């Protein structure tokens, strides 16, 4: 009888110990499953971020290619204009030839004296010829100056564009980080006032370029930009307390 009692007692103790151990193991198993689910969620989020960054990188590449093409076109047009301006006018090429052809005519003017009585007339005859040559040179000399004065308007630079508005710090808006700021500036968006004045067509165009899908409306970019453009810092800090913090983007 005593032996049977000890056997039953040992069995009950074994069952209790096994149940306790199984409970601990089951709790650990549930914890591991939760960690696995969180890891999968992080993996999916990282994949989504990777796809978004790839789209932004592609958009940056297209923008860079467009800017490089525009720069090459501008350099080509500037080089053609400078080459055309550097060619001398026809007046500069024809004037020296006319000036050089004048002295032989002046030299042919004096006549050879026939008698000693006419020796006094020789200096007098040479003076008008010299004056004629100097008059020819003086009449031909102003032509290069006039041609030089007429040349600069051909190479006149284009009128300077008016200075653009001072750019704002777009990264103050929730949802705009360094990459998005570069993409916006590539589209010509540099101030809060521009974002505040966006229409539905503007939002669609910007989201197509930046590979967004309703993010501008979700993060309330236009409402934020209106408050900052109006200078209402107090209301902006009240409605958007996370702006400017580590979780801004």
């Amino acid at each position: 009888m005593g032996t049977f009692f000890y056997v039953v007692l040992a069995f009950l103790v074994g069952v209790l110990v096994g149940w306790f151990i199984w409970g601990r193991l089951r709790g650990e198993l549930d914890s591991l499953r939760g960690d696995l689910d969180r890891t999968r969620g992080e993996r999916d989020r990282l994949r989504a971020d990777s796809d978004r960054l790839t789209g932004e990188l592609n958009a940056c590449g297209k923008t860079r290619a467009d800017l490089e093409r525009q720069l090459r076109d501008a350099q080509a047009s500037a080089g053609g204009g400078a080459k055309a301006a550097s060619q001398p006018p026809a007046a500069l090429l024809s004037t020296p030839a006319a000036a050089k052809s004048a002295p032989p005519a002046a030299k042919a003017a004096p006549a050879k004296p026939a008698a000693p009585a006419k020796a006094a007339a020789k200096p007098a005859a040479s003076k008008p010829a010299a004056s004629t040559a100097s008059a020819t040179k003086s009449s031909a000399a102003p032509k290069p100056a006039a041609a030089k004065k007429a040349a600069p308007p051909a190479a006149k630079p284009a009128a300077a564009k008016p200075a653009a508005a001072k750019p704002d710090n777009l990264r103050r808006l929730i949802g705009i980080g360094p990459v998005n700021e570069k993409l916006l500036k590539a589209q010509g968006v540099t101030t809060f006032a521009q974002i505040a004045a966006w229409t539905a067509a503007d939002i669609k165009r910007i989201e197509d370029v930046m590979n967004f899908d309703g993010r501008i409306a979700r993060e309330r970019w236009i409402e934020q930009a209106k408050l900052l453009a109006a200078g209402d810092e107090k209301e902006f800090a009240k409605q958007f307390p996370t702006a400017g913090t580590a979780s801004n983007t």
Side-chain angles (χ1 to χ4, degrees), residues 67-186:
L67 292 176
E68 289 179 350
R69 179 178 54 79
Q70 294 175 4
L71 180 61
R72 287 195 299 269
D73 294 342
Q75 289 177 349
S77 60
K83 184 177 180 180
S86 63
Q87 294 180 352
L92 292 178
L93 297 177
S94 60
T95 302
K100 289 181 180 179
S101 62
K107 291 180 180 179
K112 186 176 181 180
K118 297 181 180 180
K122 184 177 181 181
S126 61
K127 288 182 179 179
S131 62
T132 303
S134 62
T136 304
K137 291 181 179 180
S138 62
S139 62
K143 290 184 179 179
K148 289 181 180 178
K149 290 182 180 179
K156 184 178 180 181
K161 295 182 179 179
K166 183 178 180 181
D168 295 323
N169 183 12
L170 300 181
R171 294 175 63 182
R172 292 192 62 189
L173 300 183
I174 296 176
I176 298 181
V179 176
N180 292 340
E181 184 183 22
K182 290 181 180 179
L183 292 176
L184 289 174
K185 288 184 177 179

Side-chain angles (χ1 to χ4, degrees), residues 5 13 51 59 62 67 69 71 94 103 107 113 135 146 152-153 155-156 164-165 189 201 215 227 239 241-242:
F5 174 77
V13 171
D51 295 339
K62 293 180 180 178
L67 292 176
R69 179 178 54 79
L71 180 61
S94 60
K107 291 180 180 179
K156 184 178 180 181
V189 180
R215 179 174 174 180
L227 293 175
Q239 293 190 20
T242 61

Side-chain angles (χ1 to χ4, degrees), residues 178-204:
V179 176
N180 292 340
E181 184 183 22
K182 290 181 180 179
L183 292 176
L184 289 174
K185 288 184 177 179
Q187 298 299 316
V189 180
T190 58
T191 61
F192 299 134
Q194 290 176 298
I195 299 177
W198 276 353
T199 62
D202 295 329
I203 294 175
K204 185 178 183 303

